[in-house]
Amino acid sequence: MKLKNIVLIVTILSLFNGCYSKIPSYEAFVYNNNWNIGKSHIPKLNQKFREIYSEDKYIYRFEKPKGCYYGYLTNRDDKPEKVIGWIIISGEEFCKDIRAIGEII
């Protein structure tokens, strides 16, 4: 009985230790950013990052992870604003991410 409890505790601790066991990749970065296309939470929650990109688009610029600069594009005349695409501004070699927990790879 005690051996079962010890094995159960060790198993639970290894599952919930907070460490990622997956290696970051560019493909996961693209997948995570494509997930935001068509949604409006980026413009609503990040007004301080908004800049004018062209005469009909805004860009919301981010740096995550460090060295990877990218931005989400929205139409200026849409109400509410929705993400229509994203671009990497610089540092493509640093643009790596891990897929969200629960995603099927």
Side-chain angles (χ1 to χ4, degrees):
M1 183 78 167
K2 288 185 179 186
L3 182 61
K4 288 182 182 179
N5 289 340
I6 292 171
V7 170
L8 180 63
I9 290 171
V10 169
T11 304
I12 290 173
L13 289 175
S14 67
L15 289 174
F16 297 108
N17 65 4
C19 296
Y20 286 114
S21 61
K22 298 179 182 174
I23 299 171
S25 68
Y26 178 75
E27 290 77 20
F29 179 80
V30 170
Y31 177 85
N32 290 339
N33 284 336
N34 284 341
W35 185 83
N36 291 312
I37 294 175
K39 298 181 173 61
S40 62
H41 67 277
I42 297 288
K44 284 181 186 175
L45 300 174
N46 298 291
Q47 291 293 317
K48 62 184 175 186
F49 298 116
R50 182 169 75 180
E51 298 175 11
I52 296 174
Y53 183 70
S54 65
E55 48 180 73
D56 63 338
K57 291 183 180 73
Y58 287 124
I59 186 168
Y60 292 81
R61 295 174 52 144
F62 297 95
E63 179 191 12
K64 182 183 174 191
K66 188 167 176 62
C68 173
Y69 297 92
Y70 65 98
Y72 291 104
L73 300 171
T74 64
N75 280 338
R76 290 176 76 174
D77 55 354
D78 284 348
K79 298 295 180 216
E81 283 182 62
K82 292 184 180 179
V83 175
I84 59 171
W86 62 275
I87 59 169
I88 294 178
I89 300 166
S90 67
E92 184 173 340
E93 63 274 10
F94 299 109
C95 296
K96 295 181 181 177
D97 205 355
I98 298 172
R99 283 207 185 173
I101 296 173
E103 292 294 329
I104 299 173
I105 297 177

